[in-house]
């Protein structure tokens, strides 16, 4: 697809001032280790309450008392027993100030044992996801508004990809099969007119990626992705983006205590996506934690056959955030 010069090469300098929240924003709020499992209809849906519990450990799940979350009007929606049923947020730059309302409940068949990484993490909103989307909008907002395609890897609730779509882009959300029912339900609720069911893609193939226009071809969809090279091709075929994506985003997908060394598979996926479309821009937003494995992830990406460069575009030691932009060989 046609791309501006800004998307051909990542910024060369560290970015520290792109975020709307003030510097006093805290990242030390406790994270909730237990995904909500109550299936009852919430009787209170406008209660601002913590999205996390009282656990002493901190993994960076957001909190409605957090400055950044107040910026996006984040709310945790709870029933009379104070069990979380969902979340809502309003993106600050959305001209229509639409509310994104997402269920955080898993279907009974999808409920996982306590501490099962993917299923639990898939019901949380992470700081790296919100700040990653702030970065995407600042750097690639023009392309987003004109229908550029985004693949979100390990999307969980899929907030960044949904915001990308809400502001004009075409989105494919991807994660494990076990959270697809939750994703599909949330897409139908929030985007009934533009959600694309699994099957062939829409839009006109042009250049390296599928270029679509807003309107009938402005779509969002969710597909399971097994992190493998074969999985990439299956997703590309199922979603209709056989020539690749303009942008790929992954947020907080690297944390060895929770996910093990699955980042090694993530690197393979990124390398294959850049093989399919060398013009693709891959953005990795991560939060640093003890023994997270991020350094190994970055070094492995730099050694990949189809990776041209890996550039750190944000490092904020106070917020413990890093963002990397990876591009292909052209």
């Amino acid at each position: 697809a046609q791309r501006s010069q800004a998307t051909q090469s990542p910024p060369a300098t560290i970015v520290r001032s792109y975020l709307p929240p003030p510097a006093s924003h805290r990242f030390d709020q406790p994270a909730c280790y237990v995904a909500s499992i109550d299936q009852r209809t919430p009787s209170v849906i406008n209660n601002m309450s913590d999205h996390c519990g009282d656990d002493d450990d901190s993994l960076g799940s957001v909190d409605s008392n957090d400055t950044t979350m107040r910026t996006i009007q984040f709310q945790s929606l709870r029933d009379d027993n104070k069990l979380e049923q969902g979340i809502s947020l309003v993106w600050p730059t959305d001209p229509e100030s639409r509310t994104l309302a997402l269920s955080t409940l898993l279907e009974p068949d999808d409920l996982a044992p306590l501490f099962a990484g993917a299923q639990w993490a898939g019901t949380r909103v992470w700081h790296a996801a919100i700040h990653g989307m702030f970065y995407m909008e600042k750097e690639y907002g023009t392309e987003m508004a004109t229908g550029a395609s985004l693949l979100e890897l390990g999307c969980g609730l899929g907030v960044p990809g949904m915001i990308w779509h809400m502001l004009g882009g075409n989105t494919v959300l991807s994660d494990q099969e076990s959270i697809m029912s939750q994703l599909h339900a949330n897409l139908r609720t929030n985007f009934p007119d533009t959600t694309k069911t699994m099957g062939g893609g829409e839009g006109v193939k042009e250049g390296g990626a599928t270029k679509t226009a807003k309107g009938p071809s402005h779509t969002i969809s969710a597909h399971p992705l097994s992190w493998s090279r074969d999985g990439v091709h299956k997703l590309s075929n199922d979603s209709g983006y056989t020539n690749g994506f303009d942008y790929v985003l992954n947020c907080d997908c690297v944390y060895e205590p929770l996910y093990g060394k699955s980042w090694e598979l993530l690197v393979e996926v990124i390398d294959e996506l850049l093989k399919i479309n060398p013009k693709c821009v891959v953005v990795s937003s991560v939060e640093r934690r003890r023994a997270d494995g991020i350094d190994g992830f970055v070094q492995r990406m730099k050694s990949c056959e189809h990776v041209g460069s890996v550039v750190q575009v944000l490092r904020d030691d106070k917020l413990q955030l890093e963002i990397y932009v990876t591009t292909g060989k052209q």
Side-chain angles (χ1 to χ4, degrees), residues 256-321:
E256 288 188 1
L258 194 62
Y259 306 126
K261 289 188 176 294
S262 61
W263 60 261
E264 296 178 343
L265 301 176
L266 176 59
V267 169
E268 294 290 304
V269 166
I270 291 172
D271 190 51
E272 193 66 21
L273 287 164
L274 291 174
K275 176 182 179 182
I276 295 172
N277 179 22
K279 295 182 179 180
C280 175
V281 175
V282 180
V283 176
S284 303
S285 178
V286 295
E287 183 174 348
R288 297 308 304 246
R289 307 176 182 93
R290 184 179 296 109
D292 51 34
I294 291 171
D295 292 337
F297 166 70
V298 172
Q299 291 304 314
R300 183 72 62 86
M301 280 203 300
K302 290 180 178 180
S303 67
C304 285
E305 179 181 0
H306 305 289
V307 169
S309 68
V310 180
V311 178
Q312 185 185 74
V313 296
L314 180 143
R315 184 185 68 246
D316 194 313
D317 294 335
K318 181 178 180 180
L319 303 182
Q320 300 176 29
L321 279 178

Side-chain angles (χ1 to χ4, degrees), residues 77-89:
L77 310 178
R78 301 190 174 225
D79 65 11
D80 289 333
N81 294 316
K82 298 183 179 180
L83 294 174
E84 184 176 88
Q85 306 291 304
I87 63 165
S88 70
L89 60 91

Side-chain angles (χ1 to χ4, degrees), residues 195-209:
T195 295
K196 184 171 60 175
T197 58
M198 291 188 61
E202 300 177 15
V204 179
K205 301 291 190 299
E206 185 175 307

